[in-house]
Amino acid sequence: MQQPRWYCVTLLMVLILLLGSCQTSTPAPTISPTATVVPISSATAMSTPVPTTRPTATVAPTPSATTTAKEGATMGLPPLFHDCVSGEIPQSLVFDDLRQNHPGRPHTPFVTTGHRLYVIGDIDGGFRPRSNPYERTEAELACHPPAGELGGVWAQPGKALDGYVYVLKTGAETWPLLDATQFTQGLSHVEFTFRRGDPSTGSGQALTAVRRDFVPDDVPALFTSLSVRNDGAAPVSLEMSLFGFFDLQEAWLSRVGAQHSSGEDVQYSAGRLVARALDTTDWAVVLGGDKPPTSGQVLTLPGGQPVGQLAYETTLLPGAEETWIFLLVVDMESGADGALAAFDDLLPQKDDLFAAKEASYQTMVSDGLQFHSPDPDFDAAFRLAKANSLMLTADTPELGRIMYAGLETFPYWFSNDLAYGAGGLIPAGFGPTIADHLRIAISYVQKAKLKGRVPHQLSLGGLIINPGNVQETPQFVNAAWDYYRWTGD
């Protein structure tokens, strides 16, 4: 479901205001709200950004990514998204005993994350360009996170793909899977359902395709799979292709490897697509599947962006289904050799990694501290706030474990966000993350440049973006005191 920005302030709203006055080193008691609370529906629990003090502005997407998508269509490549799509798509949240439904526009963003990689796209299956909506002028956009580039596949501090698209071809008909009829958020994974044709007529083709994406918790990797079922009365011969739009660029004010990369070189070899960053041997991305492709190639868009294709041919009898599993791996230390070795190691572990991912969400979301009130929607929002915070938890090469201030716009270390949320995050099970947050702050306070001041914002490369204002240092003291009172550490 829609997840444009998730802040730790979500837990502040549910936890701090209710638990803040009763923090002790013993487990928190069950608290019933005394104020009138508007029930939190699926639209607010998973779809509405939490209000913040940061200014808001509406910024139209920059034309570069849109133009690239249209150029690709003229070359026989699929676009990354469909323009000007109307209507709504049913969205469902399905996790444990939580069930919520809410329609969303096709461009509604989704996110699925691990600690080392995350994916931001659209619920119709596309990947539209996304910019920082808080920057209002071209000058601001020019010197802040790259305009139009905040979506796609990121393994911070670097990007891997602008997006990926499945395409089915049956005879003369080509069907890019960019028109999902259902989106399902499972917290540990996301699913997109696509349908073409009507099986009830008994004539013509009828296909159902289901894309499932999940990101393992502790490795910079993405599993994406596609299952296609023939719902018609006659056999269907089809070609299935996966297109990956490679874009190895570094995050704002960060660097991967010994020096900045100026692009990527992508090659098709032994059934896999291997992207190597230019100007450094440390950084590479590998994309491949569990079955050998019929063919593969690398095409180049007019602007120079490489797009890799893995193509497969099959025939589906009536009622038959076939599934293709793909794995993307990022390596920022050992380059292509490391990425290829990790690919071979991780691909057979898909089921185990998915089970571990589901277990981690079960532990954090459904187990541990719970909130009980007369309003079941409010209780569900409490659990979803924990899920949102888990999705924002990240392990970064330079800083270690942090919690992003928000996705897609704020994948950075901010002192304020976790200082606000510490009193609620700690009893909710995020104490180790708060401890790491405090240690990072202390390490920068000790730097001579800051002269004892807690910084406001750090890049994922460890650069001080904002050295801090008047509030960060006292907020740090309050957060450290909250941590001590809850843990005794």
Side-chain angles (χ1 to χ4, degrees), residues 86-425:
S86 60
E88 293 183 323
I89 297 173
Q91 298 182 90
S92 296
L93 168 70
V94 179
F95 176 78
D96 198 11
D97 60 339
L98 293 175
R99 298 291 186 273
Q100 295 185 357
N101 297 284
H102 183 69
R105 298 291 300 277
H107 62 266
T108 299
F110 79 89
V111 64
T112 186
T113 76
H115 300 326
R116 300 285 302 279
L117 183 146
Y118 62 81
V119 181
I120 297 176
D122 308 305
I123 65 170
D124 64 356
F127 290 87
R128 290 169 175 81
R130 300 194 176 278
S131 301
N132 186 341
Y134 301 99
E135 311 300 347
R136 293 185 287 264
T137 68
E138 290 186 6
E140 287 176 319
L141 285 169
C143 60
H144 281 78
E149 297 288 355
L150 299 184
V153 181
W154 283 88
Q156 292 286 6
K159 193 174 188 179
L161 301 176
D162 280 340
Y164 45 95
V165 179
Y166 289 100
V167 176
L168 299 181
K169 186 174 182 181
T170 58
E173 183 180 7
T174 299
W175 180 22
L177 299 185
L178 297 170
D179 54 354
T181 58
Q182 170 71 42
F183 172 77
T184 302
Q185 172 62 264
L187 300 186
S188 60
H189 65 285
V190 292
E191 284 188 357
F192 308 78
T193 301
F194 307 86
R195 293 186 174 88
R196 181 65 61 94
D198 184 358
S200 65
T201 64
S203 62
Q205 292 182 358
L207 296 173
T208 297
V210 177
R211 167 184 147 193
R212 170 183 277 204
D213 299 346
F214 93 91
V215 179
D217 269 341
D218 299 317
V219 290
L222 160 69
F223 283 95
T224 177
S225 65
L226 185 73
S227 298
V228 181
R229 185 180 69 244
N230 180 7
D231 294 324
V236 175
S237 296
L238 61 83
E239 178 184 293
M240 191 285 294
S241 291
L242 173 63
F243 291 87
F245 291 69
F246 289 90
D247 185 10
L248 274 64
Q249 65 168 289
E250 292 147 320
W252 183 45
L253 300 178
S254 297
R255 184 173 67 189
V256 178
Q259 55 187 359
H260 289 292
S261 174
S262 58
E264 62 284 302
D265 173 68
V266 183
Q267 298 179 359
Y268 172 72
S269 176
R272 300 167 184 172
L273 296 164
V274 182
R276 296 171 172 86
L278 302 179
D279 307 315
T280 178
T281 59
D282 302 331
W283 186 11
V285 176
V286 171
L287 175 61
D290 65 331
K291 302 173 182 177
T294 304
S295 63
Q297 63 177 332
V298 178
L299 303 169
T300 304
L301 292 172
Q305 181 177 18
V307 180
Q309 178 188 12
L310 300 173
Y312 302 78
E313 295 179 355
T314 190
T315 298
L316 294 178
L317 299 176
E321 178 176 307
E322 185 163 351
T323 298
W324 296 266
I325 299 170
F326 297 92
L327 171 62
L328 178 139
V329 175
V330 180
D331 192 298
M332 296 182 178
E333 295 179 354
S334 304
D337 290 343
L340 288 166
F343 182 96
D344 292 335
D345 180 57
L346 294 173
L347 186 60
Q349 300 183 53
K350 172 185 174 291
D351 292 341
D352 291 340
L353 291 169
F354 183 66
K357 185 69 177 284
E358 288 189 307
S360 69
Y361 274 82
Q362 178 68 34
T363 299
M364 291 300 298
V365 177
S366 295
D367 300 339
L369 182 68
Q370 297 297 319
F371 185 87
H372 302 284
S373 76
D375 188 341
D377 288 332
F378 200 93
D379 299 348
F382 180 93
R383 294 168 66 188
L384 293 176
K386 294 199 292 181
N388 291 350
S389 298
L390 182 57
M391 288 183 175
L392 290 172
T393 302
D395 290 324
T396 62
E398 186 68 27
L399 297 177
R401 173 148 297 193
I402 67 170
M403 190 174 284
Y404 294 140
L407 291 175
E408 72 268 2
T409 308
F410 296 109
Y412 306 105
W413 183 95
F414 278 89
S415 61
N416 305 70
D417 295 75
L418 286 203
Y420 289 139
L425 287 164

